[in-house]
Amino acid sequence: MAKCIDARLFGATIPEKGEQKGKSTSFTGPVQFTWGYSLHKVDMVDSRSITSLFSGRDTGYGNIGKDYRVYYSLIAFHGAVSAKRAEITGASEEDLKTLDNSLWDSLVTETVTRSKLGQRPLLYLRVEYSSPEKMKGDLRRFVKVKEKSESVRDLTDLEVNLDALVNLVSSNDVIKVVARCSDDFKGFCEQVKSACDEGKKNCIVG
């Protein structure tokens, strides 16, 4: 656990040596993410491409499947960090800082596989609450997206309203904020920084 940041953040099942065969210890990580989903209606690409798994000695028979793609999608993810579980796995504030940067930087430098081509990070927000009872849950419900055209092909075809998120950051329930914005959402980060300065909160905005 001391050597592996992914085990401290996301948990691990660790085998134990001993007389009892197959014995292991499991740790539930403090960081958990949900599936991402599009914040607006998408149009599927009428693609005839297929994906294949070739047959072989280890894989058995081959499979052929459809390769589904969309023209554009503004996808949002939600996650949570448990302070209590972090105490058990040894996850530190420095580990969370590494996670903050890695989630953003990986979408800038590591989108080389076919499923990730064209992806780019737009907005990252992590808030810390004054107490567990103040947690607001999934922050995606604070984002309002309206389609400006019938066919969405780019971010400019969407109207994104983040006023509810700014209000959340400004509330007394939030004591710390980590925010990172692309040029498209630079105004949001400026509002967050202003709210942090006014409320004298511990904030990292970039």
Side-chain angles (χ1 to χ4, degrees), residues 169-188:
V169 170
S170 304
S171 73
N172 293 329
D173 295 339
V174 173
I175 59 174
K176 181 176 180 178
V177 180
V178 177
R180 194 163 176 179
C181 301
S182 66
D183 289 341
D184 306 275
F185 292 99
K186 187 166 56 176
F188 173 76

Side-chain angles (χ1 to χ4, degrees), residues 133-149:
E133 294 76 21
K134 301 295 185 180
M135 287 184 67
K136 306 302 180 186
D138 195 332
L139 298 184
R140 289 175 291 191
R141 61 194 174 89
F142 292 90
V143 180
K144 305 301 179 187
V145 177
K146 184 188 296 183
E147 299 159 27
K148 294 192 290 187
S149 62

Side-chain angles (χ1 to χ4, degrees), residues 18-61:
E19 295 180 3
Q20 186 177 345
K21 188 176 180 181
K23 186 180 180 183
S24 63
T25 300
S26 293
F27 295 91
T28 300
V31 179
Q32 302 292 329
F33 286 102
T34 64
W35 291 99
Y37 61 73
S38 177
L39 298 178
H40 58 92
K41 183 181 177 181
V42 300
D43 293 323
M44 301 296 295
V45 177
D46 185 16
S47 171
R48 294 290 184 267
S49 62
I50 58 174
T51 57
S52 303
L53 171 65
F54 295 103
S55 59
R57 182 185 303 172
D58 298 324
T59 60
Y61 292 104

Side-chain angles (χ1 to χ4, degrees), residues 48-114:
R48 294 290 184 267
S49 62
I50 58 174
T51 57
S52 303
L53 171 65
F54 295 103
S55 59
R57 182 185 303 172
D58 298 324
T59 60
Y61 292 104
N63 295 309
I64 296 177
K66 184 101 168 129
D67 185 12
Y68 293 100
R69 302 185 186 205
V70 296
Y71 285 102
Y72 183 81
S73 181
L74 177 59
I75 300 175
F77 295 84
H78 166 71
V81 183
S82 167
K84 291 296 184 183
R85 288 177 181 170
E87 291 176 5
I88 297 172
T89 64
S92 65
E93 189 66 34
E94 195 62 31
D95 289 338
L96 284 180
K97 190 183 296 183
T98 299
L99 177 67
D100 292 333
N101 293 328
S102 298
L103 285 171
W104 185 279
D105 295 339
S106 63
L107 278 175
V108 174
T109 61
E110 301 299 325
T111 52
V112 294
T113 59
R114 181 175 60 176

